[in-house]
Amino acid sequence: DNYKQESCALQRSMKEKIDMLQSELDACVEEKELLDSELNAEREKQYENTSKLEEMVSLLEYTLSLKESLEKRVHDLRLNLDETTKESKEYKIRMDKLQQELDVVSREKIKYEGEVNEVMPELKTLREERLVLNE
């Protein structure tokens, strides 16, 4: 009978320990599931951050490419401006020379017009005389 009581007590004790261990195991499983959930959330966040970083790197590369393209365009435009400025100076020099020639021609024209006006009365007289002679 004593053996039976000890056996029952031992069984109860073992059952309590098993129940306690089962409770601890259940708590550990819940904690593991919680930690797994947190880990998955962290991985997802990391994935999003990585995606954002990759997108930012791509945008930076595109921006750098645009910057290089714009720098080349600015360089080309400066060269073009230098060439245009040089051509403009050459054009101005040619225009100044042409203006000087035009001034000379204008003075000669005025001089010849004066001479023509001086001889016009005489020419008119000669024409009238010729008409009289022809009649």
Side-chain angles (χ1 to χ4, degrees), residues 30-130:
E30 283 181 28
E31 188 175 347
K32 182 195 175 293
E33 288 174 353
L34 179 65
L35 289 172
D36 282 347
S37 174
E38 288 176 4
L39 179 62
N40 286 337
E42 192 60 36
R43 282 183 180 151
E44 192 174 311
K45 197 190 261 183
Q46 224 174 9
Y47 175 77
E48 288 174 10
N49 287 342
T50 301
S51 294
K52 286 178 183 176
L53 284 173
E54 288 172 348
E55 186 178 330
M56 288 175 72
V57 166
S58 174
L59 283 172
L60 283 172
E61 288 171 342
Y62 175 71
T63 303
L64 181 61
S65 142
L66 277 179
K67 178 183 175 272
E68 290 170 353
S69 174
L70 287 173
E71 284 174 343
K72 184 184 180 328
R73 183 74 177 124
V74 165
H75 175 72
D76 292 347
L77 286 172
R78 282 190 177 135
L79 290 177
N80 192 5
L81 177 64
D82 291 346
E83 185 64 28
T84 303
T85 301
K86 180 182 168 192
E87 289 173 1
S88 175
K89 288 177 182 175
E90 291 171 355
Y91 177 76
K92 184 175 179 345
I93 290 170
R94 285 199 318 264
M95 288 301 294
D96 288 347
K97 285 180 183 176
L98 287 173
Q99 185 62 49
Q100 289 171 358
E101 290 177 20
L102 181 62
D103 291 346
V104 168
V105 168
S106 293
R107 284 193 297 272
E108 288 178 3
K109 177 185 170 222
I110 291 170
K111 178 180 142 192
Y112 290 134
E113 283 175 347
E115 291 176 7
V116 165
N117 287 337
E118 284 179 20
V119 296
M120 277 309 275
E122 190 179 328
L123 179 62
K124 186 177 177 186
T125 304
L126 288 173
R127 280 185 184 158
E128 287 172 358
E129 288 176 5
R130 192 177 79 192

Side-chain angles (χ1 to χ4, degrees), residues 13-27:
S13 172
M14 290 297 263
K15 186 173 178 347
E16 287 173 2
K17 280 187 178 183
I18 288 173
D19 288 346
M20 187 178 78
L21 288 172
Q22 185 63 49
S23 293
E24 287 179 19
L25 180 62
D26 290 344

